[in-house]
Amino acid sequence: MPVRTEIGELDGASFRIDVPEQNWNHGLVIYYHGYESKPIVYALVDGKPRPLSHILQEILNRGYAVAQSGYSAGGWAVESAFKDTEEVRKYFNKKYGDPKETLAMGHSMGGLLTVMTLERSPQKYSGGLALCGVLAPTDLVMQRAFANRVAFDAFFPGVLPQVDRIPATFMMNDLPVIANVQKALDAKPDSAALIRSLADIHTNRGLADVLVFNTFVIEDLRLKTGGNPFDNRNLIYTGTTDDYDLNTQVKRYAADGKAVRYMNDYYTPTGALKRKLLAVHTTYDPLVPASTVAYYDDATRRLGTGDLFVQKYVNRDGHCNITAEQTGEVFDELTSWVHQNRRPEPGLLGESGSETTPPQKVPPTPQPKPPPKNIGKPE
């Protein structure tokens, strides 16, 4: 299908726009990518743009243009990503003409940005699709990740850097570090079982992936917030194989108020929807647990906006392990809801397609030998 692709830069952020040349329906999808350690830079290869992911190709196939920002900051880039993407939207409208409708769509952190967009700028959008999104407050999700990381330190001291002394060189996809964490977990099965039960992660390999990734995020958030946003002093650890031992050994940390407020601002979903939002999650997601989605459902019910929110799920393991075909299916459900007011049925989404193309690097694609594949990987 012929597509016109434009790549450029706005205020220090790379952007990409793809417009179908023959069957453009004059609709626009604003896409938010997920967490990346560095800003994405869109570039030509041998004078040609890289092919879009299969997921975004599904959107183009339906006649919609796609516009996306690479963000001017990496990591937890919610603040800058929201602004950068709005600049791309305004640029698109000025150059290509006002679309007949604009929809928001994103994965993981981009799912949270989709919610933020519909809550803060509803007049500019007709609806949104959040895939494997962080639909609970950033503070809630990240405090959980921090608490699990500190619990790991209590039983496996020295395996990972102390959470208040993480070096700038630490990488979220460092395979030797992941292998070393798994080796430590394998060597102490009882302690590993305790941490797995706390984190609700099924395997040592999966736990190692998430612990290393979250170590990078902890330091990233310290830098973003200008202080320590994490506090486990009031937390009583429960639900493990030995709560007494864990609470006795775990180290306690105090948070900086300014840092906590930053995490709250970027971002705590309110549930104050004025546009229709369809969300999809896997039943087992070790990075962004499906249980966090219930927060947003409760929030919309309390505010009386529950008729604007629908949650569906796929019976799969892994973060963002949703196929391109399934994405196209739920996108069709969203547009039918927006255009004909046909509200999607909450619940199970069918297993259409076999190819998964999660669009972000969480956790890393390659694996040291011989660990089993555990989490949905990116392309």
Side-chain angles (χ1 to χ4, degrees):
M1 179 182 70
V3 176
R4 176 184 177 185
T5 300
E6 179 182 359
I7 291 173
E9 183 177 305
L10 292 169
D11 295 333
S14 180
F15 75 86
R16 173 170 174 159
I17 292 172
D18 292 271
V19 182
E21 288 192 331
Q22 295 179 349
N23 67 332
W24 184 28
N25 62 11
H26 294 279
L28 171 64
V29 170
I30 294 292
Y31 178 71
Y32 289 103
H33 73 72
Y35 190 102
E36 296 280 353
S37 60
K38 298 179 180 179
I40 289 178
V41 177
Y42 303 104
L44 299 176
V45 179
D46 296 329
K48 298 180 180 179
R50 295 179 184 274
L52 278 180
S53 69
H54 295 296
I55 285 175
L56 292 182
Q57 188 63 49
E58 289 286 331
I59 307 304
L60 281 181
N61 291 346
R62 284 157 171 79
Y64 285 83
V66 176
Q68 52 188 319
S69 172
Y71 313 154
S72 56
W76 192 253
V78 173
E79 180 181 13
S80 57
F82 184 75
K83 297 174 183 176
D84 295 335
T85 303
E86 173 61 10
E87 290 304 309
V88 175
R89 187 195 67 81
K90 290 190 294 186
Y91 174 85
F92 180 96
N93 289 10
K94 183 177 180 179
K95 182 166 184 177
Y96 297 89
D98 291 339
K100 69 174 185 180
E101 67 176 352
T102 303
L103 301 167
M105 172 180 165
H107 283 81
S108 195
M109 183 184 76
L112 177 63
L113 280 156
T114 298
V115 174
M116 182 177 174
T117 296
L118 296 188
E119 291 183 347
R120 290 193 171 183
S121 303
Q123 70 279 6
K124 301 170 184 175
Y125 290 84
S126 300
L129 177 62
L131 299 156
C132 52
V134 183
L135 301 189
T138 297
D139 181 66
L140 185 153
V141 175
M142 299 306 182
Q143 293 289 356
R144 172 187 180 272
F146 178 82
N148 293 347
R149 178 48 233 275
V150 175
F152 170 80
D153 291 345
F155 294 96
F156 300 89
V159 176
L160 286 170
Q162 293 186 39
V163 291
D164 54 355
R165 294 184 179 87
I166 299 169
T169 55
F170 191 91
M171 297 184 295
M172 70 181 190
N173 57 352
D174 192 319
L175 296 178
V177 174
I178 292 172
N180 192 48
V181 172
Q182 182 178 355
K183 181 179 178 181
L185 291 166
D186 291 342
K188 297 172 65 176
D190 290 343
S191 296
L194 185 149
I195 305 302
R196 287 200 316 273
S197 64
L198 177 69
D200 193 23
I201 292 180
H202 297 171
T203 68
N204 286 347
R205 170 55 201 240
L207 181 58
D209 277 336
V210 171
L211 286 169
V212 172
F213 173 74
N214 284 340
T215 299
F216 181 90
V217 175
I218 288 167
E219 181 61 16
D220 174 37
L221 284 169
R222 285 181 186 276
L223 295 174
K224 289 285 195 312
T225 63
N228 174 33
F230 305 108
D231 198 317
N232 68 334
R233 292 173 299 166
N234 288 328
L235 175 64
I236 301 174
Y237 287 81
T238 61
T240 73
T241 54
D242 192 341
D243 293 346
Y244 177 82
D245 196 23
L246 175 56
N247 282 285
T248 300
Q249 296 193 51
V250 71
K251 187 175 180 179
R252 305 292 176 166
Y253 293 84
D256 176 77
K258 180 181 177 182
V260 171
R261 288 191 293 274
Y262 182 94
M263 286 220 310
N264 179 70
D265 290 342
Y266 300 105
Y267 180 66
T268 296
T270 65
L273 283 174
K274 293 183 175 62
R275 295 292 185 268
K276 295 164 180 174
L277 174 64
L278 177 57
V280 185
H281 219 92
T282 55
T283 48
Y284 172 62
D285 185 335
L287 198 61
V288 182
S291 59
T292 61
V293 179
Y295 171 91
Y296 200 74
D297 185 47
D298 290 342
T300 59
R301 291 174 187 274
R302 285 193 298 269
L303 288 180
T305 60
D307 60 328
L308 294 175
F309 178 63
V310 171
Q311 169 67 37
K312 300 181 80 76
Y313 66 91
V314 294
N315 273 325
R316 288 215 182 133
D317 291 359
H319 184 55
C320 293
N321 195 8
I322 303 165
T323 68
E325 291 82 359
Q326 288 172 327
T327 302
E329 182 180 338
V330 290
F331 185 81
D332 290 340
E333 291 193 47
L334 173 64
T335 54
S336 292
W337 191 14
V338 169
H339 299 157
Q340 289 91 37
N341 203 30
R342 296 175 183 169
R343 190 174 191 268
E345 188 68 26
L348 178 66
L349 179 67
E351 288 293 317
S352 60
S354 58
E355 181 179 12
T356 61
T357 54
Q360 64 180 114
K361 298 175 182 176
V362 181
T365 302
Q367 301 179 18
K369 297 180 180 180
K373 186 171 181 179
N374 182 264
I375 299 177
K377 307 293 183 190
E379 59 180 359

